[in-house]
Amino acid sequence: MSHNKLPKDWKIKKLEDLLDYIQPTKYIVKSTDYDNSYKTPVLTAGKTFVLGKTNETEGIFENLPVIIFDDFTTANKLVNFKFKVKSSAMKILKPKDENVNLLFVFYFIQTIRISFDTHKRYWISVFSKLPIALPPPETQNAIVSKIEELFSELDKGIEDLKTAQQQLKTYRQSVLKYAFEGKLTEEWRKKENNLNTANALLKKIQVEKENEAKRIGKKLKPTNSLTVNDILQLSKLPENWKWVSLGEVISDLTDYHANGSYVKIKENVQLLDIPDYAIMIRATNFEKNNFNKDLKYITEDAYNYMSRSKLFGGEILIGKIGNAGKIYFMPKLNSASSLAMNLFALRFNVDVNKYIHYHLLSSFSRQEISKYVKGVGNPTIDKNSIRSLAIALPSFEEQHQIVQEIESRLSVADKMEESITQSLQQAEALRQSILKKAFKGELL
């Protein structure tokens, strides 16, 4: 901020000149047995904001409005209702006198960008010392009114964009629902003659499994075939489709621990932070859509030892602990890759992986998966449950047509999603631009 270009009646102050801080100690809630039927909100300055409501009647903060400021993360909120707090790790900020418009100062604080990676209390050591250009009270009030007018228009646009985002999610699920009910390919089927059946495909998959088992000298794994009663509980499928278990179509369901005991793996495998022969593929790679930075590696010897969990691209990965039941599709990478802990890998001898991947992303499969996930704090799912998932299986040819129909529709939705995301980023940039102008004296 160039203070020389400010209007003449503006003065440079420090935040500590304008705001007093109150320690929250006597306003800390004694019990965390919250209930929405209680009267008084318990606050944190972070994203959660309202942790719950308490029925305690003493130690309620009533001298409003105020800013609550998290001393360690610098998160802050404007509060205009009676409250209690959860911890002492915050400051309660109030104007020192009637010449300070608290909203004006609050909006200024939203423009501050500092690194807070050091564990210390930031209000006294950093924020309170920051300079702020302060206009006369009537100008403060006018600027706040203008900011809120512009923000109101901006928020309406953001609300519309987020509504559109939600509608795209609904659309995607509708596409998948129709796909696995056979509706996307209904007209296609009418034009096709001599289509193979799901039974024929299933027999082909079984033969491939048996041949592979003979080749490596191992017994076939259980398939967890659906019972007659299971199938009766499911919806009716188009002619020549068939309900099958996922175990009937996968050739292998493996994980990190399929390579040996915990002790043996520990002896042969060490995770490295510096680049080496193979990347260890973790759920975080998919969540961050990042296969280039912040990776874990293993040596070539370790990679070869972990032969049961090598990844080549095209596998379906499923979270087993923590992110239990989350579905990912392994891309083809230019580096050797191996499966890390907490993920399962599904392989297929027949090219059905894309069809199965989309099926597992559908609301039907997500509901099925949720039935098998156990635990709350650290949820898990096991191999037997994954093999038991129901899959609506059409012929091999129709699967490919369904994948094309899905991808042609979802690609359009993805472009729209990208446009909405860009618009939301632009809206946030515009918000900052409005505030920047406000505190340079250029908004009115």
Side-chain angles (χ1 to χ4, degrees), residues 87-319:
S87 76
S88 61
M90 68 162 65
K91 295 287 190 291
I92 301 173
L93 308 176
K94 273 197 66 67
K96 284 195 170 183
D97 58 56
E98 65 278 2
N99 292 319
V100 178
N101 184 315
L102 186 67
L103 261 176
F104 181 86
V105 181
F106 174 74
Y107 282 130
F108 173 77
I109 290 174
Q110 307 317 300
T111 68
I112 299 171
R113 297 289 182 269
I114 64 166
S115 172
F116 51 90
D117 49 357
T118 304
H119 189 72
K120 63 180 180 180
R121 293 185 178 271
Y122 279 86
W123 176 254
I124 293 175
S125 63
V126 179
F127 272 66
S128 68
K129 310 300 181 187
L130 294 175
I132 175 174
L134 188 72
E138 60 274 13
T139 307
Q140 293 177 48
N141 297 339
I143 288 173
V144 167
S145 294
K146 188 63 177 177
I147 288 173
E148 295 194 329
E149 175 191 334
L150 295 173
F151 277 12
S152 177
E153 295 172 4
L154 192 57
D155 289 341
K156 179 61 171 66
I158 290 172
E159 183 183 341
D160 290 343
L161 288 169
K162 289 184 175 179
T163 298
Q165 266 186 332
Q166 191 57 49
Q167 289 170 340
L168 281 176
K169 288 181 182 178
T170 303
Y171 171 74
R172 286 189 178 97
Q173 280 304 316
S174 295
V175 168
L176 296 179
K177 180 177 184 292
Y178 291 148
F180 303 114
E181 290 174 349
K183 292 178 180 176
L184 286 189
T185 46
E186 189 171 3
E187 292 303 316
W188 178 87
R189 278 195 306 277
K190 291 176 182 178
K191 298 174 185 177
E192 294 297 314
N193 297 318
N194 302 318
L195 270 178
N196 286 317
T197 65
N199 277 328
L201 175 58
L202 205 55
K203 286 179 182 178
K204 181 180 179 182
I205 291 171
Q206 184 64 22
V207 168
E208 293 283 351
K209 284 186 178 184
E210 291 170 356
N211 291 340
E212 179 65 13
K214 287 178 183 177
R215 187 184 68 80
I216 62 176
K218 289 191 175 182
K219 291 182 179 180
L220 283 175
K221 295 287 178 68
T223 61
N224 293 35
S225 301
L226 301 179
T227 66
V228 172
N229 188 56
D230 290 334
I231 294 170
L232 288 174
Q233 305 301 315
L234 298 167
S235 61
K236 187 178 179 181
L237 294 175
E239 186 179 1
N240 292 326
W241 285 42
K242 183 176 183 177
W243 281 111
V244 300
S245 71
L246 184 54
E248 292 178 86
V249 295
I250 59 176
S251 63
D252 189 27
L253 173 54
T254 190
D255 63 2
Y256 180 90
H257 296 98
N259 296 285
S261 68
Y262 178 81
V263 173
K264 283 291 184 183
I265 292 175
K266 191 174 182 181
E267 288 175 358
N268 288 277
V269 180
Q270 181 181 3
L271 293 183
L272 308 171
D273 292 320
I274 57 174
D276 211 294
Y277 184 77
I279 300 170
M280 292 300 284
I281 299 298
R282 301 169 292 159
T284 187
N285 298 123
F286 296 94
E287 299 297 337
K288 296 180 179 179
N289 192 25
N290 181 10
F291 296 87
N292 299 309
K293 296 189 298 183
D294 302 322
L295 304 178
K296 297 292 184 182
Y297 300 88
I298 55 175
T299 64
E300 185 174 3
D301 286 343
Y303 173 75
N304 289 326
Y305 176 81
M306 302 290 280
S307 60
R308 289 293 309 280
S309 54
K310 291 179 179 180
L311 298 173
F312 304 98
E315 298 90 352
I316 295 173
L317 307 186
I318 302 181

Side-chain angles (χ1 to χ4, degrees), residues 222 224 253 372 382-389:
N224 293 35
L253 173 54
Y372 289 109
D382 59 30
K383 289 182 178 180
N384 191 55
S385 297
I386 291 171
R387 291 191 186 99
S388 300
L389 295 172

